[in-house]
Amino acid sequence: LLKPIADTFREQFYTERLYHKVLAKGYLMVSKGLYYAGDRLTLDGFINLLSFLYLKVVRFLWMKLDIMVVDLFINGVAKFSFKTGKHIRNVQTGLLNNYVLFLLIGIIFILGVITYSLR
């Protein structure tokens, strides 16, 4: 007769079982639902979308800006330097007669500019 009452007291009025079966299980179900709906779908989806857009923008900038602008400019400067050096190489002969001729041409050019600007 007293055994059910003793069991009730020993089990603390079954509050711990009730807590785990109702409150804790409900809390776990709600938190799992929020995790999948909020974190996995919404936040991860948003982060994945940002990553996708970032890669598209970076690839576009690489193709348009780097390859079509920067590389063309750098290659153009290199080709210009190479061709200019090719032509100037013929000027440096090591012969004094050529250097004196270039000096004389430079003096005549400067005197011509000064004479033209004094008019």
Side-chain angles (χ1 to χ4, degrees):
L1 178 72
L2 294 177
K3 181 153 176 53
I5 296 173
D7 287 342
T8 304
F9 277 110
R10 188 177 317 113
E11 292 293 328
Q12 300 170 354
F13 294 96
Y14 298 99
T15 55
E16 193 168 327
R17 284 188 187 176
L18 181 68
Y19 171 77
H20 284 292
K21 294 264 186 202
V22 176
L23 293 176
K25 194 177 253 188
Y27 171 75
L28 283 175
M29 286 174 39
V30 168
S31 67
K32 282 181 183 178
L34 287 175
Y35 167 72
Y36 284 112
D39 185 56
R40 299 283 292 183
L41 296 176
T42 306
L43 290 177
D44 287 352
F46 180 68
I47 296 298
N48 290 338
L49 175 67
L50 286 180
S51 172
F52 175 77
L53 292 175
Y54 172 76
L55 289 176
K56 287 289 184 188
V57 167
V58 167
R59 182 172 286 129
F60 172 78
L61 288 176
W62 171 64
M63 293 296 287
K64 300 297 180 193
L65 186 67
D66 184 44
I67 291 178
M68 293 189 169
V69 176
V70 175
D71 286 353
L72 283 177
F73 176 74
I74 296 300
N75 291 337
V77 168
K79 285 180 184 176
F80 176 75
S81 299
F82 182 74
K83 288 181 179 180
T84 305
K86 216 174 181 183
H87 292 298
I88 292 179
R89 183 182 325 152
N90 296 330
V91 173
Q92 289 186 339
T93 59
L95 300 174
L96 187 58
N97 294 342
N98 290 349
Y99 296 142
V100 171
L101 176 66
F102 293 136
L103 180 66
L104 184 62
I105 291 172
I107 290 172
I108 292 171
F109 177 76
I110 291 173
L111 288 175
V113 169
I114 291 172
T115 307
Y116 181 75
S117 64
L118 289 177
R119 285 189 194 177

